[in-house]
Amino acid sequence: MLHFLSQFSADARFYHRLKHPQQPATLWALTATALRSPGLWILTFHRIIYFSSNRRNLRSIVWWLARLTEIPVHYLNTVVGKSELLGDCYIKGSAYLPDKGYLTCGALSIGAGSMIHDHVTFGYAVAKGKVGRPHVGSDVWIGPNCIIAGGLEIGDGSTLLPGTYLTYSVPPRSVVRGNPGRVVREEFDNAALRASLNIVDVLPEVESQKS
């Protein structure tokens, strides 16, 4: 229980930094952020589902509480959050899931610091098995309306611009764009993108590379 509360606190601080970077993370400010962040609800509900599905312990009261709430929180994620995440998707550390929802996630893992925006689909065609399900690295930025299909790996620090359809693995710090997706830049630092909730369709650095 203490671990869960500690992770929730870290998640709330992560969302707060994105939404109110100039505002101190007081208890009141974190509470307000948590209440106004449907994406944080989706993330928290998924953590409950993941714990219930993958940390079976019949002697643990915490596990039984998670087990009892698994169906209600799955319903809330689907109906209220307009999202569905497979229960065995491991989210390492704090990550951003979209407040707008419309996230269909069959990924096997999502790394810490990654940001996933709305209307994104991950390898959901094979919901019953591991084949064809992607791994998302740490500090990855994925824009709206992306599709990630297949048993691929998205390297740490990579960037998928809005509307990308990715079907192959990409190395760390890559920028991918288009349908089909192609790597348009390498060794790109996406820290500025991950510091806010702003959406960009084209990176100036990418456009300058063409000229």
Side-chain angles (χ1 to χ4, degrees), residues 5-41 44 94 99:
L5 293 175
S6 175
Q7 184 62 68
F8 177 77
S9 176
D11 292 340
R13 290 176 183 276
F14 185 79
Y15 273 74
H16 182 75
R17 285 196 302 271
L18 289 170
K19 296 187 171 194
H20 310 287
Q22 306 301 323
Q23 187 181 96
T26 63
L27 179 59
W28 170 253
L30 291 175
T31 301
T33 297
L35 292 174
R36 298 170 183 170
S37 300
L40 178 56
W41 309 345
T44 302
S94 296
D99 283 345

Side-chain angles (χ1 to χ4, degrees), residues 87-163:
D88 62 349
C89 175
Y90 178 44
I91 300 179
K92 308 171 186 177
S94 296
Y96 176 80
L97 303 185
D99 283 345
K100 292 182 180 179
Y102 298 103
L103 173 63
T104 305
C105 181
L108 281 169
S109 63
I110 298 172
S114 290
M115 297 184 64
I116 302 169
H117 290 279
D118 57 286
H119 293 84
V120 171
T121 298
F122 292 91
Y124 212 72
V126 284
K128 297 298 184 181
K130 295 185 177 181
V131 177
R133 296 176 59 189
H135 290 274
V136 180
S138 300
D139 299 330
V140 171
W141 189 92
I142 300 176
N145 303 304
C146 287
I147 297 175
I148 296 94
L152 56 87
E153 294 191 14
I154 302 176
D156 295 347
S158 289
T159 301
L160 274 62
L161 293 174

Side-chain angles (χ1 to χ4, degrees), residues 51-66:
F51 180 82
S52 172
S53 301
N54 299 276
R55 297 290 187 267
R56 180 182 175 88
N57 183 355
L58 298 178
R59 297 182 179 181
S60 170
I61 295 177
V62 175
W63 181 83
W64 278 108
L65 289 174

